[in-house]
Amino acid sequence: MAIEFTVNGKSITFSGDPAMPLLWYLRDHARTTGVKYGCGVGACGACTVHLDGSAVRSCSIPVSSAAGHAITTIEGLADGGTLHALQKAWIEVDVPQCGYCQAGQIMAAADLLTRTPEPSDQQIAALTNLCRCGTYPRIRKAIRLAVSMNQTAKVTS
């Protein structure tokens, strides 16, 4: 049975194993390699993507769960050639050390800012994505900068 969904706006029809973790579809079939394998049990967040705009851990849900839904990966977060405010902030603050977890970090933060445009420090600290390099202070600084960028964009538009 074919599973139909979208990945970064592109229509997909998948006829493979419906129990395959969405992560493996995204990496091996869609070639969206910004989605990373970290722990395989949904604990670390390296595989975070958006399912209809909400952050999910793609290693712990089957590709069949994507049926009829829109998946966005880090590769689809930008609006054409315009980076998302978080992507700009990540670059400006120089957040990554090794960089492995950063796509998942950005996707989790993007979900937070969609739900809470001006999150408190506690809400930012409550993000559960892990970073083995410990760049949490820079991650938090970049999220704050993205909030500021978004506020400035609202004032000027």
Side-chain angles (χ1 to χ4, degrees):
M1 180 170 94
I3 301 166
E4 296 181 4
F5 56 102
T6 65
V7 175
N8 299 329
K10 181 181 175 189
S11 295
I12 302 295
T13 301
F14 179 67
S15 298
D17 181 1
M20 175 196 305
L22 179 60
L23 167 68
W24 297 125
Y25 173 81
L26 293 171
R27 287 189 58 79
D28 296 343
H29 297 270
R31 303 282 190 232
T32 54
T33 57
V35 182
K36 302 293 187 211
Y37 174 80
C39 66
V41 295
C44 74
C47 67
T48 302
V49 298
H50 291 175
L51 176 72
D52 292 338
S54 296
V56 297
R57 307 287 170 94
S58 64
C59 72
S60 60
I61 62 171
V63 72
S64 61
S65 293
H69 297 284
I71 305 296
T72 305
T73 69
I74 191 72
E75 291 88 350
L77 191 61
D79 183 12
T82 303
L83 293 178
H84 187 280
L86 282 163
Q87 292 169 310
K88 292 176 188 175
W90 241 251
I91 293 166
E92 188 168 325
V93 175
D94 195 22
V95 173
Q97 187 165 322
C98 85
Y100 196 83
C101 69
Q102 297 306 304
Q105 298 280 357
I106 291 170
M107 296 305 286
D111 176 52
L112 172 64
L113 295 186
T114 297
R115 292 181 288 108
T116 310
E118 296 182 39
S120 68
D121 289 337
Q122 288 177 317
Q123 289 169 309
I124 294 170
L127 291 172
T128 60
N129 290 54
L130 302 179
C131 174
R132 290 190 64 171
C133 299
T135 65
Y136 299 112
R138 294 193 309 253
I139 289 168
R140 292 180 183 124
K141 183 176 180 181
I143 293 170
R144 285 267 159 248
L145 178 57
V147 168
S148 176
M149 289 175 175
N150 287 339
Q151 290 170 339
T152 300
K154 285 180 188 175
V155 169
T156 60
S157 60

